[in-house]
Amino acid sequence: MSKIISAKVIICSPGRNFVTLKIETESGHYGIGDATLNGRELAVAAYLEEHVLPCLVGRDAQKIEDVWNYLYKGAYWRRGPVTMTAIAAVDVALWDIKGKLANLPLYQLLGGASRDGVMVYAHANHKTVAGTVANALDLKNKGFKAIRLQTGVPGLASNYGVSKHKDFYEPADGDLPVENAWSTEKYMQSVEQLFVEARRSLGWDVHLLHDVHHRLSPIEAARLGKDLEPYRLFWMEDASPAENQKNFQLIRQHTTTPLAVGEVFNSLWDCKTLIEEQLIDYIRATIVHAGGLSHLRKLACFAEIHNVKTGFHGATDLSPITMAAALHFDLSVANFGIQEYMRHSDETYAVFNRHYTINEGYMLPGEAPGLGVDIDESLAAKYPYKRAYLPVNRLEDGTLFHW
Ligand code: KDG
Ligand code: MG
């Protein structure tokens, strides 16, 4: 028994907002979990503070599966991003404690290393095709084996994935949601050129990825997948919204471009059909938004028997705690595919000390017990929460569209 004696929520904004849960045990150990839900941070903080933490104190921190079910089944109300993010924060903090109690890095508790390193994909973006390809070449020269390419669309003022900073993309930057404009026709006319130029400059010994960010209908996504086949993408991500999982049957029938989906999913139930019917190749669920390591272990096993690999979300709105948890998971899981990597800002790294490292396009979680990430609470207190929304998107005629 390792009794939980306290649990608290820490909210800070070192470059962007993060919500962190810290759980302490009677034995003098503590664990941390990420509880950040971009643009809805305070909803998760309130869910934790008002509804979860009062039930945690006194429980055995070692009983991770029991606590998980207590919070999932015990709420009666199931799933949803706020609930599943809160559960993930508790789950990851408890795994961190278990690692510290065992004096082992987490990947050892998850079955040990299945590979020497975790292949990550980096991000190249620019408003022009030439600029994106030049940034990608730079990343390739730095040793990255896989690169996601996004570029501006001629005729549109802004586009998903194209940012001021060349290494990462930080879309939550409005005190109220910024309004973007979208035209599928303009996008479809321009995107292929990016991959023509990319293959010409980068060659074929690097994996190329692209995120459609839920902007196409199934038939449009089918066409894009087909058009991009000659450039041998590693994956086309979130080609179409997937609430209706059968949408992907149409896409799958028409293209051999590998498909990745799932950064907005909260549980296995959001991708059961996608996986069971082998409609996708990579599942992108996020540790912090899909119930933590305990739930994703089940999801990954289910995916494994259907030839679906992992390709977890790793944008900057997932704190270094989630990145570390993902790396331990990726290192150990049998059906690992790839891991998204976006550099956090220097302020973020100063608040979250980390043991994970990156070398030649591969990452390792480090050998510190547990997650190998800590939070500097006094530094965190110097960065108070700042409200920040993700943008919304409208078609050129004003119709509200998917962002
Ligand atoms: O909070 C939303 C971002 O995490 C998301 O827009 C980033 O699509 C994304 C990606 O693939 O990293
Ligand atoms: Mg994405």
Side-chain angles (χ1 to χ4, degrees), residues 148 160 211 213 237-238 263 284 313 340:
R148 189 189 93 165
Y160 166 76
D211 190 351
H213 220 252
E237 176 187 337
D238 288 339
E263 65 184 38
R284 273 183 59 66
H313 190 198
E340 181 176 12

Side-chain angles (χ1 to χ4, degrees), residues 138-160:
D138 191 34
L139 290 166
K140 189 185 170 200
N141 291 335
K142 286 187 175 132
F144 284 100
K145 309 290 180 274
I147 304 165
R148 189 189 93 165
L149 306 180
Q150 306 293 138
T151 198
V153 174
L156 295 183
S158 62
N159 185 23
Y160 166 76

Side-chain angles (χ1 to χ4, degrees), residues 41-293:
E41 294 85 358
L42 300 187
V44 184
Y47 189 88
L48 280 167
E49 280 170 342
E50 300 298 326
H51 306 293
V52 172
L53 303 192
C55 311
L56 275 188
V57 175
R59 265 170 216 291
D60 186 355
Q62 297 259 42
K63 292 188 173 176
I64 301 178
E65 189 67 22
D66 180 68
V67 171
W68 197 96
N69 280 292
Y70 186 86
L71 296 175
Y72 183 82
K73 295 179 184 158
Y76 183 62
W77 312 108
R78 296 190 181 197
R79 306 192 275 152
V82 174
T83 306
M84 295 305 276
T85 302
I87 295 177
V90 175
D91 183 76
V92 170
L94 296 185
W95 276 104
D96 191 21
I97 290 172
K98 200 177 265 304
K100 288 173 178 167
L101 285 166
N103 201 26
L104 286 172
L106 206 57
Y107 75 86
Q108 295 289 13
L109 301 186
L110 299 174
S114 291
R115 51 197 53 82
D116 299 333
V118 169
M119 182 172 73
V120 297
Y121 67 89
H123 289 255
N125 75 87
H126 190 267
K127 54 185 188 311
T128 65
V129 166
T132 299
V133 172
N135 288 337
L137 197 55
D138 191 34
L139 290 166
K140 189 185 170 200
N141 291 335
K142 286 187 175 132
F144 284 100
K145 309 290 180 274
I147 304 165
R148 189 189 93 165
L149 306 180
Q150 306 293 138
T151 198
V153 174
L156 295 183
S158 62
N159 185 23
Y160 166 76
V162 181
S163 63
K164 292 172 217 123
H165 198 291
K166 83 179 175 49
D167 292 343
F168 57 83
Y169 178 58
E170 187 52 86
D173 58 0
D175 180 49
L176 285 173
V178 169
E179 301 223 345
N180 292 344
W182 176 252
S183 156
T184 299
E185 295 73 23
K186 288 176 179 156
Y187 167 72
M188 291 290 260
Q189 280 162 31
S190 68
V191 65
E192 195 179 341
Q193 198 53 30
L194 174 62
F195 289 93
V196 171
E197 297 302 330
R199 282 297 180 208
R200 214 194 319 260
S201 295
L202 302 168
W204 295 87
D205 60 343
V206 60
H207 297 301
L208 302 183
L209 299 82
H210 182 64
D211 190 351
V212 181
H213 220 252
H214 318 276
R215 303 280 166 92
L216 300 178
S217 68
I219 197 68
E220 290 162 348
R223 167 164 298 285
L224 181 63
K226 219 163 147 178
D227 289 348
L228 295 180
E229 277 170 20
Y231 314 101
R232 296 283 193 273
L233 265 61
F234 186 93
W235 77 32
M236 175 167 75
E237 176 187 337
D238 288 339
S240 198
E243 287 101 323
N244 181 355
Q245 298 178 44
K246 300 246 176 201
N247 279 352
F248 275 68
Q249 285 174 344
L250 185 68
I251 308 174
R252 195 61 154 178
Q253 277 159 19
H254 290 286
T255 180
T256 56
T257 294
L259 303 172
V261 177
E263 65 184 38
V264 300
F265 293 170
N266 313 129
S267 83
L268 172 49
W269 301 103
D270 293 331
C271 46
K272 182 171 173 288
T273 305
L274 288 169
I275 292 175
E276 214 161 38
E277 295 187 12
Q278 300 186 200
L279 303 178
I280 56 171
D281 300 280
Y282 297 92
I283 181 68
R284 273 183 59 66
T286 312
I287 287 172
V288 55
H289 300 145
L293 292 158

Side-chain angles (χ1 to χ4, degrees), residues 327-401:
L327 291 172
H328 286 282
F329 192 95
D330 297 337
L331 193 63
S332 61
V333 74
N335 51 328
F336 168 73
I338 199 166
Q339 171 65 50
E340 181 176 12
Y341 162 70
M342 242 188 239
R343 189 172 78 68
H344 284 103
S345 68
D346 294 341
E347 295 100 307
T348 299
Y349 283 144
V351 168
F352 295 94
N353 309 309
R354 68 209 187 278
H355 281 84
Y356 59 76
T357 51
I358 182 157
N359 182 30
E360 293 287 318
Y362 291 94
M363 288 184 87
L364 284 169
E367 294 298 320
L371 287 167
V373 175
D374 210 344
I375 181 166
D376 179 336
E377 289 185 62
S378 45
L379 189 57
K382 296 195 175 132
Y383 296 102
Y385 168 78
K386 263 171 58 187
R387 189 174 66 188
Y389 281 93
L390 287 168
V392 296
N393 212 12
R394 288 187 189 276
L395 299 179
E396 287 174 310
D397 70 358
T399 307
L400 198 87
F401 196 60

